[in-house]
Amino acid sequence: MMSYAIVGFGKIGQALAQAFARKNIKVAVASRRPPEALASQARAIGPTVIAKSLRDALEADTIILAVPFWEHREVAKALPNWEGKTVIDAMNTFGVLPEELDGLPSSAFVAKAFTGAKLVKGFNHLAAATLAADPIVEGGHRVVFLSSDDEDTTAPVAALAKQLGFAPVKLGKLDEGGALVHARGRAWGHLIFQDLFKKEQ
């Protein structure tokens, strides 16, 4: 069975933990703080949410990054090699200038730090309150956009999104569809709506 961890226990990390708890799926949570500091909050979210040290949390097969953007580099250093791991990038680059990312889409920049990992961009476009709420809305399922340079990696992440009650939409590679949902400056995904609008016309 797949094991999951959320690294980062701010608003987004807690909202993701609530999504796992709602479906009784076990998930480890970790942050820069020691696990004892997260334990009571984790328990309050649900019995399947387990506070762990970063090192222990990273034993999971699938790791969701929910830390402030530049902290991903510290997380990446915690393992010498990320072979066999799937990393879901749920971060946004609000306030990060494109030139700071060497002209790459932010997830491609992140992927460079996680040597050997399979990286999927996902769960980054929903505000924390929306992510924490039941994804079944008015008879439909709330959408989660996913993109990856490795098509095989997207499938298990799409399966996880479905398990959590979301409707996964695959957007292709990071620099194609993925570029549509990257935060730019202070705005998020302005391209996706232009693009969808063009398709409608």
Side-chain angles (χ1 to χ4, degrees):
M1 215 167 93
M2 291 289 275
S3 54
Y4 303 102
I6 298 163
V7 177
F9 204 50
K11 283 183 183 168
I12 293 292
Q14 288 176 39
L16 283 161
Q18 282 172 304
F20 277 84
R22 194 169 30 246
K23 297 292 184 181
N24 287 318
I25 301 169
K26 195 173 169 189
V27 65
V29 293
S31 79
R32 282 178 305 182
R33 292 183 293 157
E36 305 81 64
L38 315 180
S40 67
Q41 222 169 352
R43 271 197 303 272
I45 292 173
T48 60
V49 180
I50 318 292
K52 291 190 176 182
S53 68
L54 180 61
R55 191 169 288 276
D56 288 347
L58 294 182
E59 287 177 10
D61 307 310
T62 300
I63 290 119
I64 306 176
L65 291 177
V67 294
F69 184 74
W70 289 113
E71 280 182 32
H72 76 268
R73 294 186 293 195
E74 290 308 306
V75 178
K77 286 177 196 160
L79 286 182
N81 190 303
W82 289 78
E83 212 67 55
K85 303 278 183 196
T86 297
V87 173
I88 301 173
D89 174 12
M91 302 179 296
N92 279 314
T93 51
F94 295 126
V96 177
L97 299 170
E99 49 270 30
E100 291 181 77
L101 303 176
D102 305 334
L104 293 168
S106 65
S107 288
F109 185 86
V110 170
K112 290 200 304 182
F114 291 86
T115 317
K118 294 172 172 179
L119 190 123
V120 179
K121 181 84 179 170
F123 296 98
N124 66 302
H125 78 286
L126 297 173
T130 310
L131 202 51
D134 190 331
I136 297 168
V137 188
E138 293 166 15
H141 292 253
R142 194 169 271 121
V143 164
V144 165
F145 295 111
L146 303 174
S147 55
S148 177
D149 288 344
D150 183 339
E151 183 57 38
D152 294 343
T153 305
T154 315
V157 177
L160 170 64
K162 273 188 183 155
Q163 239 186 313
L164 294 173
F166 295 94
V169 174
K170 296 178 190 175
L171 293 178
K173 295 194 176 214
L174 295 173
D175 62 350
E176 297 165 5
L180 297 173
V181 290
H182 283 264
R184 280 181 178 71
R186 301 183 81 82
W188 177 88
H190 61 296
L191 285 179
I192 196 162
F193 301 111
Q194 290 171 7
D195 197 62
L196 289 174
F197 182 66
K198 280 184 204 143
K199 286 178 184 157
E200 297 284 317
Q201 288 178 324

